[in-house]
Amino acid sequence: IRMILIGPPGAGKGTQAPKIKERFSCCHLATGDMLRSQIAKKTDLGREAKKIMDQGGLVSDEIVIGMIKAELETNKECQGGFILDGFPRTVPQAEGLDAMLKERKQTLQHVVELQIDDALLVERITGRLVHPASGRSYHTTFNPPKKPMTDDVTGEPLIQRSDDNAEALKKRLVTYHKQTSPVVGYYQKTGLWKGIDASQQPGQVWKHMLNIIEGKN
Ligand code: AP5
Ligand code: ZN
Protein backbone atom coordinates (compact mmCIF):
# COMPACT_ATOMS: atom_id res chain seq x y z
CA ILE A 1 0.00 0.00 0.00
CA ARG A 2 1.20 3.56 -0.69
CA MET A 3 -0.83 6.25 1.04
CA ILE A 4 -0.89 9.62 2.83
CA LEU A 5 -2.83 10.64 5.95
CA ILE A 6 -3.53 14.37 6.24
CA GLY A 7 -5.25 16.11 9.13
CA PRO A 8 -4.85 18.80 11.79
CA PRO A 9 -3.07 18.21 15.13
CA GLY A 10 -5.08 15.67 17.13
CA ALA A 11 -7.17 14.47 14.18
CA GLY A 12 -6.01 10.89 14.81
CA LYS A 13 -3.21 10.33 12.27
CA GLY A 14 -0.94 8.68 14.83
CA THR A 15 -3.84 6.60 16.15
CA GLN A 16 -4.91 5.19 12.77
CA ALA A 17 -1.51 4.84 11.03
CA PRO A 18 -0.18 1.95 13.18
CA LYS A 19 -3.36 -0.03 12.38
CA ILE A 20 -2.74 0.47 8.66
CA LYS A 21 0.89 -0.56 9.10
CA GLU A 22 -0.13 -3.73 10.91
CA ARG A 23 -2.88 -4.65 8.49
CA PHE A 24 -0.99 -3.97 5.25
CA SER A 25 2.63 -4.67 6.37
CA CYS A 26 4.07 -1.35 5.25
CA CYS A 27 6.23 1.24 7.00
CA HIS A 28 4.70 4.11 9.03
CA LEU A 29 6.70 7.28 8.38
CA ALA A 30 5.80 10.17 10.70
CA THR A 31 8.02 13.22 10.28
CA GLY A 32 6.94 14.50 13.74
CA ASP A 33 8.13 11.23 15.35
CA MET A 34 11.41 11.39 13.41
CA LEU A 35 12.01 14.98 14.58
CA ARG A 36 11.18 14.05 18.20
CA SER A 37 13.72 11.24 18.00
CA GLN A 38 16.35 13.81 16.88
CA ILE A 39 15.38 15.93 19.89
CA ALA A 40 15.74 12.93 22.22
CA LYS A 41 19.20 12.21 20.75
CA LYS A 42 20.15 15.89 21.29
CA THR A 43 21.44 16.34 17.73
CA ASP A 44 21.94 19.81 16.18
CA LEU A 45 18.88 19.21 14.03
CA GLY A 46 16.92 18.20 17.14
CA ARG A 47 17.86 21.40 18.94
CA GLU A 48 16.80 23.57 15.98
CA ALA A 49 13.61 21.58 15.41
CA LYS A 50 12.49 21.74 19.03
CA LYS A 51 12.35 25.55 18.99
CA ILE A 52 10.22 25.52 15.84
CA MET A 53 7.93 22.69 17.00
CA ASP A 54 7.24 24.24 20.41
CA GLN A 55 6.17 27.41 18.60
CA GLY A 56 3.89 25.51 16.24
CA GLY A 57 5.87 26.37 13.10
CA LEU A 58 7.22 24.09 10.37
CA VAL A 59 10.70 22.68 9.99
CA SER A 60 12.24 23.40 6.55
CA ASP A 61 10.97 21.52 3.51
CA GLU A 62 14.49 20.33 2.55
CA ILE A 63 15.03 18.71 5.93
CA VAL A 64 11.77 16.76 6.05
CA ILE A 65 11.93 15.78 2.36
CA GLY A 66 15.45 14.48 3.03
CA MET A 67 14.27 12.46 6.04
CA ILE A 68 11.45 10.81 4.08
CA LYS A 69 13.73 10.06 1.14
CA ALA A 70 16.32 8.41 3.40
CA GLU A 71 13.68 6.26 5.10
CA LEU A 72 12.07 5.13 1.85
CA GLU A 73 15.51 4.08 0.60
CA THR A 74 16.79 2.30 3.70
CA ASN A 75 13.85 1.14 5.84
CA LYS A 76 13.15 -2.49 4.90
CA GLU A 77 9.52 -2.20 6.08
CA CYS A 78 8.94 0.30 3.26
CA GLN A 79 9.39 -2.49 0.71
CA GLY A 80 5.79 -3.43 1.52
CA GLY A 81 4.67 0.16 0.91
CA PHE A 82 4.26 3.18 3.16
CA ILE A 83 1.83 5.22 5.14
CA LEU A 84 2.92 8.87 5.49
CA ASP A 85 1.71 10.67 8.65
CA GLY A 86 2.30 14.42 8.90
CA PHE A 87 4.04 14.60 5.50
CA PRO A 88 3.61 16.28 3.04
CA ARG A 89 2.58 19.36 4.97
CA THR A 90 3.29 22.03 2.34
CA VAL A 91 2.82 22.11 -1.44
CA PRO A 92 6.63 22.05 -2.03
CA GLN A 93 6.77 18.88 0.13
CA ALA A 94 4.02 17.32 -2.01
CA GLU A 95 6.02 18.20 -5.12
CA GLY A 96 9.14 16.73 -3.52
CA LEU A 97 7.25 13.51 -2.84
CA ASP A 98 6.02 13.36 -6.44
CA ALA A 99 9.62 13.64 -7.65
CA MET A 100 10.77 10.91 -5.25
CA LEU A 101 8.01 8.55 -6.34
CA LYS A 102 8.65 9.24 -10.00
CA GLU A 103 12.28 8.25 -9.49
CA ARG A 104 11.13 5.04 -7.79
CA LYS A 105 8.59 4.42 -10.59
CA GLN A 106 5.80 4.32 -7.99
CA THR A 107 2.45 6.07 -7.71
CA LEU A 108 0.31 7.02 -4.73
CA GLN A 109 -2.86 4.99 -4.18
CA HIS A 110 -4.76 6.86 -1.46
CA VAL A 111 -4.75 10.29 0.14
CA VAL A 112 -7.04 10.38 3.17
CA GLU A 113 -7.93 13.57 5.00
CA LEU A 114 -9.09 13.22 8.62
CA GLN A 115 -11.65 16.03 8.84
CA ILE A 116 -12.58 17.56 12.19
CA ASP A 117 -13.52 20.96 13.62
CA ASP A 118 -10.77 22.85 15.44
CA ALA A 119 -12.99 23.14 18.53
CA LEU A 120 -12.79 19.39 19.19
CA LEU A 121 -9.01 19.30 19.10
CA VAL A 122 -8.11 21.14 22.33
CA GLU A 123 -9.39 18.34 24.54
CA ARG A 124 -7.71 15.65 22.43
CA ILE A 125 -4.36 17.42 22.48
CA THR A 126 -4.29 18.50 26.11
CA GLY A 127 -5.32 14.99 27.27
CA ARG A 128 -2.82 13.09 25.13
CA LEU A 129 -0.13 10.94 26.77
CA VAL A 130 2.64 9.34 24.72
CA HIS A 131 5.19 6.58 25.10
CA PRO A 132 8.19 8.28 23.49
CA ALA A 133 10.15 5.15 22.46
CA SER A 134 7.29 3.54 20.49
CA GLY A 135 5.20 6.60 19.57
CA ARG A 136 2.12 4.91 21.11
CA SER A 137 -0.40 7.43 22.33
CA TYR A 138 -3.15 7.37 24.92
CA HIS A 139 -5.72 9.85 26.18
CA THR A 140 -6.57 10.57 29.80
CA THR A 141 -10.31 10.31 29.02
CA PHE A 142 -10.79 8.79 25.54
CA ASN A 143 -8.16 6.03 25.68
CA PRO A 144 -6.66 5.76 29.17
CA PRO A 145 -3.70 3.45 29.85
CA LYS A 146 -4.37 0.46 32.15
CA LYS A 147 -2.16 1.98 34.88
CA PRO A 148 -1.99 5.78 35.21
CA MET A 149 0.93 7.37 33.29
CA THR A 150 2.27 3.92 32.31
CA ASP A 151 2.64 2.33 28.87
CA ASP A 152 0.49 -0.83 28.61
CA VAL A 153 3.12 -2.75 26.61
CA THR A 154 6.47 -1.86 28.21
CA GLY A 155 5.42 -0.57 31.65
CA GLU A 156 7.54 2.53 30.96
CA PRO A 157 6.36 6.03 31.92
CA LEU A 158 4.17 8.12 29.62
CA ILE A 159 4.88 11.77 28.99
CA GLN A 160 3.09 14.82 27.62
CA ARG A 161 4.55 16.33 24.41
CA SER A 162 6.03 19.80 25.01
CA ASP A 163 3.86 21.19 22.16
CA ASP A 164 0.65 19.71 23.61
CA ASN A 165 -0.72 22.78 25.36
CA ALA A 166 -3.58 25.07 24.36
CA GLU A 167 -1.29 27.95 23.41
CA ALA A 168 1.00 25.96 21.07
CA LEU A 169 -2.03 24.17 19.62
CA LYS A 170 -3.52 27.50 18.53
CA LYS A 171 -0.36 28.23 16.55
CA ARG A 172 -0.21 24.71 15.12
CA LEU A 173 -3.78 25.16 13.85
CA VAL A 174 -2.97 28.50 12.23
CA THR A 175 0.01 26.85 10.52
CA TYR A 176 -2.18 23.93 9.43
CA HIS A 177 -4.84 26.10 7.82
CA LYS A 178 -2.28 28.33 6.12
CA GLN A 179 0.31 25.84 4.92
CA THR A 180 -1.27 22.37 4.89
CA SER A 181 -4.84 23.06 3.68
CA PRO A 182 -3.44 23.83 0.18
CA VAL A 183 -2.00 20.29 0.15
CA VAL A 184 -5.58 18.97 0.35
CA GLY A 185 -6.42 21.01 -2.77
CA TYR A 186 -3.29 19.67 -4.47
CA TYR A 187 -4.49 16.07 -4.07
CA GLN A 188 -8.14 16.87 -4.78
CA LYS A 189 -6.99 17.85 -8.26
CA THR A 190 -5.36 14.43 -8.75
CA GLY A 191 -8.57 12.57 -7.89
CA LEU A 192 -6.80 10.59 -5.14
CA TRP A 193 -8.34 12.51 -2.22
CA LYS A 194 -10.97 11.04 0.15
CA GLY A 195 -12.25 12.53 3.43
CA ILE A 196 -13.27 10.83 6.68
CA ASP A 197 -15.26 12.39 9.53
CA ALA A 198 -12.58 12.16 12.22
CA SER A 199 -14.88 13.27 15.06
CA GLN A 200 -16.29 9.73 15.24
CA GLN A 201 -15.05 7.00 17.59
CA PRO A 202 -11.62 5.60 16.59
CA GLY A 203 -13.25 2.28 15.60
CA GLN A 204 -15.66 4.05 13.24
CA VAL A 205 -12.83 6.02 11.66
CA TRP A 206 -10.93 2.77 11.15
CA LYS A 207 -13.94 1.11 9.49
CA HIS A 208 -14.27 3.99 7.05
CA MET A 209 -10.50 3.90 6.41
CA LEU A 210 -10.64 0.20 5.47
CA ASN A 211 -13.56 0.84 3.14
CA ILE A 212 -11.56 3.53 1.34
CA ILE A 213 -8.42 1.39 1.08
CA GLU A 214 -10.36 -1.64 -0.09
CA GLY A 215 -12.19 0.43 -2.66
CA LYS A 216 -15.70 0.02 -1.27
CA ASN A 217 -16.14 3.74 -0.81
P1 AP5 B 1 3.32 15.96 14.34
O1 AP5 B 1 3.94 15.05 15.30
O2 AP5 B 1 3.02 15.48 12.97
O3 AP5 B 1 2.05 16.59 15.03
P2 AP5 B 1 0.61 17.07 14.47
O4 AP5 B 1 0.46 17.10 13.01
O5 AP5 B 1 0.34 18.31 15.20
O6 AP5 B 1 -0.32 15.92 14.82
P3 AP5 B 1 -0.50 15.19 16.20
O7 AP5 B 1 0.55 14.16 16.37
O8 AP5 B 1 -0.65 16.22 17.29
O9 AP5 B 1 -1.94 14.55 15.98
P4 AP5 B 1 -2.41 13.14 15.43
O10 AP5 B 1 -3.32 13.41 14.28
O11 AP5 B 1 -1.29 12.19 15.23
O12 AP5 B 1 -3.31 12.71 16.66
P5 AP5 B 1 -3.31 11.38 17.58
O13 AP5 B 1 -3.69 10.19 16.77
O14 AP5 B 1 -2.06 11.29 18.38
O15 AP5 B 1 4.25 17.25 14.15
C1 AP5 B 1 4.77 17.94 15.25
C2 AP5 B 1 5.59 19.13 14.77
O16 AP5 B 1 6.72 18.67 14.03
C3 AP5 B 1 4.89 20.10 13.81
O17 AP5 B 1 4.14 21.06 14.51
C4 AP5 B 1 6.07 20.70 13.04
O18 AP5 B 1 6.71 21.68 13.79
C5 AP5 B 1 7.02 19.52 12.91
N1 AP5 B 1 6.79 18.76 11.67
C6 AP5 B 1 6.29 17.48 11.58
N2 AP5 B 1 6.17 17.10 10.30
C7 AP5 B 1 6.60 18.16 9.54
C8 AP5 B 1 6.71 18.39 8.14
N3 AP5 B 1 6.33 17.46 7.25
N4 AP5 B 1 7.18 19.60 7.72
C9 AP5 B 1 7.58 20.54 8.61
N5 AP5 B 1 7.49 20.39 9.95
C10 AP5 B 1 7.01 19.22 10.41
O19 AP5 B 1 -4.54 11.72 18.53
C11 AP5 B 1 -4.50 12.81 19.43
C12 AP5 B 1 -5.19 12.42 20.76
O20 AP5 B 1 -6.58 12.17 20.52
C13 AP5 B 1 -4.65 11.13 21.38
O21 AP5 B 1 -4.64 11.28 22.77
C14 AP5 B 1 -5.63 10.06 20.95
O22 AP5 B 1 -5.72 9.00 21.90
C15 AP5 B 1 -6.94 10.83 20.84
N6 AP5 B 1 -7.80 10.35 19.72
C16 AP5 B 1 -7.40 9.95 18.49
N7 AP5 B 1 -8.47 9.62 17.72
C17 AP5 B 1 -9.57 9.84 18.50
C18 AP5 B 1 -10.97 9.70 18.26
N8 AP5 B 1 -11.46 9.26 17.08
N9 AP5 B 1 -11.82 10.03 19.26
C19 AP5 B 1 -11.33 10.47 20.47
N10 AP5 B 1 -10.01 10.62 20.75
C20 AP5 B 1 -9.14 10.31 19.77
ZN1 ZN C 1 0.85 12.34 15.41
Side-chain angles (χ1 to χ4, degrees):
I1 197 172
R2 293 181 301 279
M3 69 177 286
I4 295 175
L5 269 188
I6 303 182
K13 304 180 293 295
T15 299
Q16 300 293 328
K19 295 163 158 300
I20 300 171
K21 170 183 166 159
E22 199 188 339
R23 178 74 162 240
F24 297 96
S25 306
C26 59
C27 60
H28 167 205
L29 303 184
T31 39
D33 290 348
M34 292 175 199
L35 291 166
R36 279 183 290 277
S37 117
Q38 294 288 321
I39 295 174
K41 288 192 243 164
K42 298 189 161 51
T43 63
D44 287 342
L45 168 58
R47 255 184 287 276
E48 277 311 300
K50 181 168 171 32
K51 287 186 228 156
I52 297 169
M53 290 163 78
D54 285 347
Q55 288 166 11
L58 292 183
V59 173
S60 86
D61 290 333
E62 294 82 73
I63 286 173
V64 290
I65 290 172
M67 291 193 315
I68 290 287
K69 192 162 199 274
E71 281 292 314
L72 285 178
E73 282 166 6
T74 59
N75 183 336
K76 289 224 168 65
E77 287 179 332
C78 298
Q79 287 168 4
F82 55 77
I83 158 100
L84 304 182
D85 156 359
F87 179 92
R89 233 175 170 95
T90 63
V91 169
Q93 290 179 23
E95 290 165 349
L97 176 65
D98 278 348
M100 252 182 265
L101 293 178
K102 197 167 172 197
E103 216 170 279
R104 298 166 63 86
K105 299 190 169 44
Q106 288 181 333
T107 54
L108 275 174
Q109 297 167 311
H110 310 283
V111 176
V112 175
E113 182 192 3
L114 294 176
Q115 300 174 296
I116 183 165
D117 280 351
D118 287 4
L120 294 173
L121 298 173
V122 185
E123 197 182 3
R124 286 197 187 183
I125 288 293
T126 53
R128 172 165 54 189
L129 301 170
V130 296
H131 177 242
S134 68
R136 255 186 299 283
S137 67
Y138 299 84
H139 192 281
T140 48
T141 316
F142 305 137
N143 177 26
K146 294 197 180 95
K147 266 196 262 163
M149 293 309 281
T150 309
D151 178 43
D152 289 352
V153 179
T154 62
E156 289 166 357
L158 300 177
I159 60 148
Q160 191 166 38
R161 269 168 53 173
S162 61
D163 59 347
D164 277 354
N165 53 73
E167 195 192 342
L169 173 64
K170 245 186 228 160
K171 296 179 189 155
R172 286 156 67 194
L173 286 170
V174 171
T175 303
Y176 183 82
H177 292 299
K178 225 195 321 211
Q179 315 235 54
T180 308
S181 295
V183 178
V184 171
Y186 182 91
Y187 288 114
Q188 280 172 332
K189 277 185 224 142
T190 66
L192 288 173
W193 175 91
K194 294 259 163 67
I196 295 181
D197 173 4
S199 69
Q200 309 170 90
Q201 297 287 324
Q204 285 301 112
V205 176
W206 173 236
K207 234 166 108 181
H208 200 149
M209 186 82 70
L210 275 181
N211 281 341
I212 289 176
I213 295 172
E214 290 167 349
K216 293 175 200 150
N217 184 307

